[in-house]
Amino acid sequence: MGNTVVDQAANLAHTHPQPIHSPPDHSDLKIHLRQSSNRHWTTRLTIDLRQLTLGHYRHSPAQHWPPFSPIRPLDTAITRLRIGHTRLNAHLHRLNIVQDPHCPWCPTQPDTPEHLLLHCPRFHSLRTTLKASLTSLRIHRPTLEDLLGSDALSPTTAFHALKCTQTFLQKSGQLDRI
């Protein structure tokens, strides 16, 4: 009997000339608000990441592999390198803290994370060791993305690449500059 009554009411509603507006359920509003907020956050974060100094190595707010280091200064250094807020001269120069944006050892090159990790001649021997350890991960020409655990890498590869980068930072003694 109940199904018959409901079916008749549904048929009657279809023949009604104007839509019947019923107040939405509060749980539906919460779900819609949460989905809208998450969509807005994802869009805004994606735009902001592209405007960061190093936004080019992280194109989406999706999972970004954490460093997992038991040594807090290493975790802090990796995070700073990822977001581009370091104590390297290029960043400090943009903040008007230092006058010269160049590397202390390479007066013609900006002191950026990419320069420090991939190009600075002062760390050539450490970089050679770093590249050798990354070869076992099938990373033959490492980029900043690879060294900082990009989203494109598998979780295992990203984790091991971060460990290699952390070892490089520890041995180079550059943690206080990052």
Side-chain angles (χ1 to χ4, degrees):
M1 181 68 181
N3 285 342
T4 305
V5 172
V6 170
D7 288 341
Q8 288 173 351
N11 288 334
L12 183 62
H14 284 296
T15 61
H16 200 277
Q18 294 182 3
I20 300 171
H21 296 288
S22 62
D25 185 23
H26 288 292
S27 62
D28 290 340
L29 286 174
K30 284 182 181 179
I31 292 169
H32 178 70
L33 182 61
R34 186 179 305 120
Q35 289 172 343
S36 293
S37 297
N38 288 342
R39 218 175 8 257
H40 175 74
W41 170 252
T42 300
T43 303
R44 184 73 234 167
L45 183 60
T46 301
I47 291 167
D48 288 346
L49 284 172
R50 288 188 183 136
Q51 294 173 355
L52 287 175
T53 307
L54 297 179
H56 64 273
Y57 77 83
R58 184 177 175 197
H59 300 289
S60 77
Q63 173 66 39
H64 205 72
W65 311 112
F68 298 117
S69 172
I71 303 169
R72 176 129 171 89
L74 278 176
D75 280 349
T76 303
I78 293 292
T79 301
R80 286 180 178 171
L81 288 168
R82 283 177 168 170
I83 64 175
H85 291 272
T86 64
R87 291 185 218 142
L88 298 175
N89 288 342
H91 181 69
L92 296 177
H93 178 71
R94 275 194 313 281
L95 299 175
N96 292 321
I97 295 174
V98 298
Q99 291 184 0
D100 185 18
H102 297 100
C103 173
W105 303 281
C106 312
T108 60
Q109 297 297 317
D111 192 19
T112 63
E114 185 172 10
H115 174 74
L116 173 71
L117 294 172
L118 298 173
H119 306 296
C120 189
R122 177 176 180 157
F123 307 109
H124 177 73
S125 61
L126 289 172
R127 192 173 304 104
T128 303
T129 306
L130 172 66
K131 287 180 180 179
S133 60
L134 291 172
T135 303
S136 65
L137 301 174
R138 296 192 175 120
I139 301 173
H140 300 288
R141 297 184 56 112
T143 64
L144 198 57
E145 289 179 337
D146 297 330
L147 296 178
L148 299 178
S150 80
D151 299 332
L153 299 174
S154 72
T156 304
T157 305
F159 176 77
H160 289 297
L162 280 171
K163 287 294 183 190
C164 294
T165 304
Q166 289 174 339
T167 302
F168 174 89
L169 291 173
Q170 271 184 310
K171 289 182 178 179
S172 68
Q174 295 303 300
L175 289 177
D176 59 332
R177 292 190 65 231
I178 298 173

